[in-house]
Amino acid sequence: MTTDTTGTAARDGEPRRGGPADSPFVRACRREPGPHTPVWFMRQAGRSLPEYREIRATVPMLESCRRPELVTEITLQPVRRHGVDAAILFSDIVVPVAAAGIDLDIVPGTGPVVAEPVRTAADVERISPIGRDDVSYVDEAVRQLVAELGDTPLIGFAGAPFTLASYLVEGGPSRTHAKTKALMYGDPELWHALCARLAEVTLSFLRVQIDAGVSAVQLFDSWAGALSEADYRRFVLPHSTYVLGGLADAGVPRIHFGVGTAELLGAMGEAGADVVGVDWRTPLDVATRRIGPDKAVQGNLDPTVLLAPWPVVEAEVRRIVEQGRAAPGHVFNLGHGVLPETDPDVLTRVVALVHELTARPAR
């Protein structure tokens, strides 16, 4: 028997489906029927797990992202504990930006902080192209994980150009994105030059992960919901389209996600993803109508619901599963990341419940 890199095995010249490419997660992304609705959680590898807190106690965030053995262990922890249908690479959206030459750090309790914010054409020129050698630790971690995970798919990811640009222009996290919007409106040429440079970095970073063996990728545009649809289409959509379109021939599903994007879902669907992530504010059946029938959806339990008593959690999970039936494919997830104070046992119960509610007879 021989096995190709997509997880499809062949015996005596006859193809046989199997491996990550035939997993419930990848099938749902491709809008194909599977044995159950797949489940994974944004930020599943991290703050809610005591084993994660123990391993990270003395290791700064950026350093942990650059140590393949740590990345591998942290990525595997929620798969072992929760039985989720996919792993997501442990990393951070600013990792490729740091590799591109930007001096930054991830400050505990704050987030990414940029030493010299990007505000001029000369600042944009400081952002260098990246290749596999610049992020070899990511390449190595992905290859280790693919070997460890077997039939469980691994999701790679990157930050979208707008969200990365916002961090770089603001110098760190922002509630208003005032400096970002001032640059966007005041100097559109510079804005597009910055986003084009970041789109190249992002595309290269995702290509490294795909070449190393991830089964899907997610493009996070965490802060896109700060924009109107008109501004999104003018200032953001072309650059996200460049990234997602640049992966059209990669052979893996592409997921696109942002927060507060109810009015942007249709436009985000146009960017070229196979799956559109939906936050908790928009019911999945409504989101499906906005996105269109040719995309799967991902989401969208409010992360704070996990802090409520189990009967409340169960009722909300049932509601989301039912609304997800309106979509041609549904990946169950949260509407944003797992909160640090979440009881890990509740996540495990959610996975089991979704699998139970959506189990389909074998054909």
Side-chain angles (χ1 to χ4, degrees), residues 21-350:
D22 196 37
S23 63
F25 168 74
V26 172
R27 292 182 69 84
C29 290
R30 298 196 186 283
R31 308 186 308 282
E32 299 173 355
H36 57 258
T37 297
V39 189
W40 72 278
F41 304 108
M42 287 180 281
R43 292 184 183 156
Q44 66 187 17
R47 303 172 294 175
S48 69
L49 300 182
E51 56 265 44
Y52 168 81
R53 292 195 292 269
E54 180 180 354
I55 205 171
R56 276 284 326 282
T58 59
V59 185
M61 180 62 180
L62 268 180
E63 182 185 344
S64 68
C65 295
R66 293 168 175 158
R67 289 170 56 176
E69 73 285 358
L70 274 186
V71 171
T72 298
E73 170 58 23
I74 292 169
T75 301
L76 290 173
Q77 287 175 349
V79 179
R80 298 190 198 110
R81 180 187 273 263
H82 304 312
V84 286
D85 292 283
I88 183 164
L89 179 70
F90 175 75
S91 188
D92 191 274
I93 64 170
V94 299
V95 165
V97 178
I102 295 297
D103 184 5
L104 58 82
D105 192 16
I106 301 174
V107 178
T110 300
V113 176
V114 180
E116 297 180 40
V118 174
R119 308 276 171 78
T120 68
D123 295 333
V124 172
E125 289 300 316
R126 290 192 283 116
I127 305 171
S128 303
I130 67 168
R132 192 199 67 81
D133 290 346
D134 299 299
V135 287
S136 58
Y137 42 87
V138 172
D139 176 86
E140 183 179 346
V142 170
R143 293 179 190 277
Q144 288 181 11
L145 281 161
V146 170
E148 291 279 349
L149 285 164
D151 290 347
T152 301
L154 175 64
I155 305 168
F157 77 92
F162 173 79
T163 292
L164 294 178
S166 179
Y167 278 119
L168 296 188
V169 173
E170 300 287 342
S174 171
R175 292 185 180 276
T176 63
H177 308 282
K179 295 182 177 68
T180 303
K181 291 184 178 183
L183 176 62
M184 191 174 72
Y185 296 136
D187 194 340
E189 183 177 352
L190 179 58
W191 170 260
H192 284 295
L194 170 59
C195 286
R197 185 67 62 96
L198 292 171
E200 291 285 2
V201 170
T202 298
L203 179 57
S204 297
F205 189 56
L206 290 173
R207 277 285 183 184
V208 168
Q209 296 173 62
I210 291 169
D211 290 346
V214 299
S215 297
V217 292
Q218 176 156 310
L219 187 67
F220 282 87
D221 212 351
S222 306
W223 308 134
L227 301 175
S228 68
E229 182 183 358
D231 286 344
Y232 177 87
R233 288 184 177 279
R234 179 183 176 190
F235 295 110
V236 178
L237 183 57
H239 305 290
S240 294
T241 300
Y242 179 86
V243 175
L244 293 168
L247 301 174
D249 64 345
V252 302
R254 299 155 294 170
I255 309 168
H256 197 17
F257 172 75
V259 182
T261 55
E263 299 304 318
L264 306 181
L265 289 172
M268 291 181 71
E270 295 171 20
D274 305 288
V275 185
V276 177
V278 184
D279 79 3
W280 67 93
R281 298 171 178 88
T282 309
L284 291 180
D285 50 352
V286 174
T288 295
R289 291 195 294 271
R290 294 179 181 181
I291 296 164
D294 61 337
K295 312 285 183 188
V297 298
Q298 179 176 279
N300 68 339
L301 182 69
D302 186 334
T304 63
V305 168
L306 296 171
L307 309 181
W310 176 251
V312 176
V313 178
E314 180 178 357
E316 285 297 288
V317 169
R318 289 178 179 273
R319 176 182 65 81
I320 289 163
V321 165
E322 191 58 35
Q323 290 174 345
R325 298 186 194 278
H330 177 209
V331 176
F332 190 99
N333 207 313
L334 304 182
H336 202 193
V338 176
L339 297 173
E341 58 267 43
T342 304
D343 181 350
D345 290 342
V346 175
L347 292 171
T348 305
R349 294 182 71 180
V350 168

